[in-house]
Amino acid sequence: MMIMLTTFEKREFVRRRGDLTQRIFQDESESLLLFKVLVNFLDKTNVNKLNFSELQESILENNEQVQSYLNDILEYMANIASEESDFAPTYTTGQLAKYFGVSITTINNWINEGRFIGVNRDETNKQVRISANTLYKSRNGKQYPVSRYVQTYENEQAEPEGNLYDTNESLFIINQLALYEEKYHGEFTKTLGEKSLDEMTPEERTDMSTWKYFLRRQESLNVYGNSQN
């Protein structure tokens, strides 16, 4: 599994990079060596947007200037490490509402409450994009990356593999729906459908996914009738 740099961790790193730079420069020879390695790495990997290739060797004689450049390097590296990529896409509040199964208003309330760790709304009405690496704090205090909820949603949309029925698919679906309604003492919308993912047990999450699948199949097949029969 990829080691994630969360939004909160990136902000903390950038905020404390000055102290880190000072500790690095406690040994001048090692700090200058590290600086040269970083400058050449950025320049030769084509991710250098700070024009380090234009620096002259004489800059190494000015510790204050080197520290300033090193601060810039550390911030730049943190931005690259946490930016959107194939591994860490970002999502709008509308997308998150779909993945979490709640309203956009609820997502905005969670942002204001600090439930998405490290995410702040800097300007009123500004569109917020939240990284898949961002940690979400559930009601029980546990923290999970947003990517976990996205994956759960995507798994729900994927139809189970294999042939579930032998002869009568419609009857099979009705029987399965009846079993879930009996188990949870009511219809989906009035039971598991009213819960958020962080309120569910692992068993309830599995049941929710399968139950929703049967409901979708029932709709697509135009299956009508009372599931209690």
Side-chain angles (χ1 to χ4, degrees):
M1 179 180 179
M2 181 181 178
I3 298 176
M4 299 186 303
L5 180 68
T6 67
T7 303
F8 175 75
E9 290 170 333
K10 173 222 165 178
R11 290 188 176 185
E12 279 297 292
F13 180 84
V14 171
R15 183 177 68 83
R16 296 158 59 178
R17 73 189 188 283
D19 294 336
L20 178 59
T21 299
Q22 290 182 1
R23 289 198 295 272
I24 291 173
F25 267 80
Q26 289 178 358
D27 188 314
E28 184 175 329
S29 61
E30 291 184 358
S31 60
L32 292 178
L33 179 60
L34 174 63
F35 178 74
K36 293 181 71 172
V37 169
L38 291 175
V39 165
N40 280 276
F41 171 78
L42 292 174
D43 192 50
K44 294 177 181 178
T45 52
N46 296 318
V47 296
N48 177 20
K49 297 181 181 180
L50 301 178
N51 298 319
F52 290 132
S53 59
E54 301 175 4
L55 294 180
Q56 302 297 318
E57 192 81 15
S58 58
I59 192 180
L60 300 178
E61 299 175 3
N62 187 330
N63 280 352
E64 185 175 341
Q65 203 167 6
V66 171
Q67 289 188 45
S68 176
Y69 274 113
L70 184 55
N71 268 331
D72 292 340
I73 290 175
L74 294 178
E75 181 175 4
Y76 181 66
M77 291 173 66
N79 288 331
I80 291 292
S82 62
E83 71 180 5
E84 179 174 358
S85 68
D86 291 338
F87 297 101
T90 60
Y91 304 106
T92 64
T93 53
Q95 290 174 310
L96 289 178
K98 177 179 66 174
Y99 295 139
F100 279 80
V102 297
S103 67
I104 295 177
T105 298
T106 297
I107 294 296
N108 284 322
N109 288 339
W110 287 351
I111 292 173
N112 295 334
E113 293 168 5
R115 299 276 289 276
F116 294 100
I117 308 301
V119 176
N120 299 311
R121 194 185 299 278
D122 298 325
E123 300 177 20
T124 304
N125 298 326
K126 181 179 180 181
Q127 176 68 276
V128 176
R129 297 191 68 89
I130 297 179
S131 168
N133 290 343
T134 299
L135 293 176
Y136 165 74
K137 184 177 182 180
S138 63
R139 291 181 181 177
N140 60 15
K142 294 184 178 180
Q143 298 180 7
Y144 305 101
V146 167
S147 58
R148 175 173 176 174
Y149 293 87
V150 175
Q151 187 62 53
T152 298
Y153 174 85
E154 292 177 344
N155 289 342
E156 289 176 7
Q157 305 310 303
E159 294 187 353
E161 298 180 356
N163 186 1
L164 297 177
Y165 338 105
D166 293 325
T167 56
N168 194 327
E169 181 177 358
S170 298
L171 180 60
F172 178 88
I173 291 175
I174 290 173
N175 288 336
Q176 292 302 306
L177 292 175
L179 289 174
Y180 283 114
E181 289 179 3
E182 180 180 359
K183 179 176 181 179
Y184 290 99
H185 308 291
E187 298 174 355
F188 175 82
T189 55
K190 297 179 180 179
T191 55
L192 294 184
E194 292 186 334
K195 289 187 174 184
S196 62
L197 287 176
D198 57 282
E199 294 176 312
M200 295 183 187
T201 65
E203 179 182 3
E204 287 177 333
R205 290 183 184 179
T206 301
D207 286 348
M208 179 196 65
S209 178
T210 308
W211 198 348
K212 289 176 68 175
Y213 166 73
F214 285 130
L215 288 170
R216 289 196 303 270
R217 288 299 295 159
Q218 182 186 50
E219 182 178 1
S220 65
L221 292 170
N222 293 319
V223 176
Y224 297 103
N226 189 341
S227 64
Q228 299 297 327
N229 293 339

